[in-house]
Structure formats: C-alpha cells, structure tokens
Amino acid sequence: AIRPGGKGNVTDTHIAWRTTRGAAYVPSPIISGRYLLMVADSGIASCFEARTGKRHWMERLPGGHSPAPVSADGLVYFVSDRGVTTIIRPSETFAVIAKNELGEPVSASPAISQGQIFLRTHQHLFIENFRPDRWPAGTPHHEKATIRGAWLDDCDTGPTKTYTVNHKDKDDEHRRKYD
C-alpha cells in the first residue's frame, strides 16, 4: 500500500505496508470501507486493514482466480475462473454470504452499474439485479411494455431478455435469471 502525496520515485518513502504472502499476480485488489481485499491467482483470498496492513483473515475460495473482485452495497464479489461467485461482507472475520455457480468459465472481471452486476462468461453475459424493479435497466412502466409480463421500459429488447422473459415460467434456471 502506497501513501498518497509523493512525487517521483516513492519506493523508499511512501510505502505504508506490503505483503507477498497470498499476493495476487492477475486480479487487482479492492478497497471496501476500511478493508483491502485481494485474491491470489490460486484462489487464496485475504482481508487486510487498509491503513495498517494487519491481515484479518486468509481463506481459500473455489478454483483459480483471474477476474478482479468488485464491490457493491457493502459486499465484495469474487468470481473464479470456473464461474463460481463467492460473496462476502468485508470484516475482521471471514464469512461467506452467498455462492453462485454460473456453470461456465469466466476470465473477465465483473462490472457493476445502476444496481446490476454483469458477469461475462466465455459464452454468455449474465445480468444479476440488485434492485428487483430493474430488468435490465429503467423504471417499471407496464403500460409501455412490449413483452407481456415484463412491466418495464423496453431499454433492452435483445434476444437474451426476450428469451428469458418468455421462458421464465418453464423451469427454475430461467426463473432464477429473470428474478
């Protein structure tokens, strides 16, 4: 961790703390509140006190990790190369809030925008909503919906939305994607 405010080469003057144990090569670390979290390529996740470097925990997550973690609504999302998302609430103790298996390999870091998380697998783009009134964006306007039962602005009339909306009552997999 590097203290801000330096000029030129600050290697000797502005290093607040450093670690090599469990350090990542590919995924970038993330700050969430007072914590710095990282996951090594091997799947070893760590949580540090951002200011001091005190390690609170170090735990193994499923699979290897290339995607960088992302944060939303006080949670951090770690996505493995195998497509397993592990969601934690940063704190001094390790606790998994939820896990979700996409069933497909993932190399890209997730993106978060306007209450949604976008997960790009090797074959599909998944959109998970944090707000139930958004699919995939906009406010509900059932009188303007062109897809029966969608109840929202038609800001995405693409084949993924149409297929998912039309199949939402057919099986659990499509219902989960719709909800």
Side-chain angles (χ1 to χ4, degrees), residues 54-165:
K54 176 184 177 188
R55 187 187 307 262
H56 293 298
W57 51 260
M58 189 162 96
E59 299 286 338
R60 175 166 293 285
L61 301 179
H65 285 252
S66 298
V70 294
S71 178
D73 294 334
L75 301 175
V76 175
Y77 296 73
F78 295 92
V79 180
S80 77
D81 297 335
R82 295 187 329 216
V84 178
T85 303
T86 305
I87 305 166
I88 65 132
R89 184 176 315 280
S91 72
E92 294 182 11
T93 57
F94 177 76
V96 174
I97 302 299
K99 275 190 186 175
N100 181 28
E101 295 194 31
L102 295 172
E104 297 178 16
V106 175
S107 297
S109 299
I112 295 178
S113 177
Q114 299 184 16
Q116 301 164 33
I117 185 169
F118 298 81
L119 297 158
R120 178 73 175 115
T121 69
H122 289 192
Q123 297 178 349
H124 296 94
L125 173 64
F126 290 88
I127 303 169
E128 195 68 39
N129 296 294
F130 300 118
R131 293 182 43 200
D133 63 336
R134 302 175 73 89
W135 203 116
T139 56
H141 291 291
H142 68 279
E143 65 275 3
K144 295 180 183 178
T146 59
I147 301 173
R148 182 176 298 220
W151 289 61
L152 37 96
D153 284 340
D154 292 327
C155 52
D156 174 13
T157 57
T160 301
K161 175 183 175 184
T162 303
Y163 182 85
T164 302
V165 169

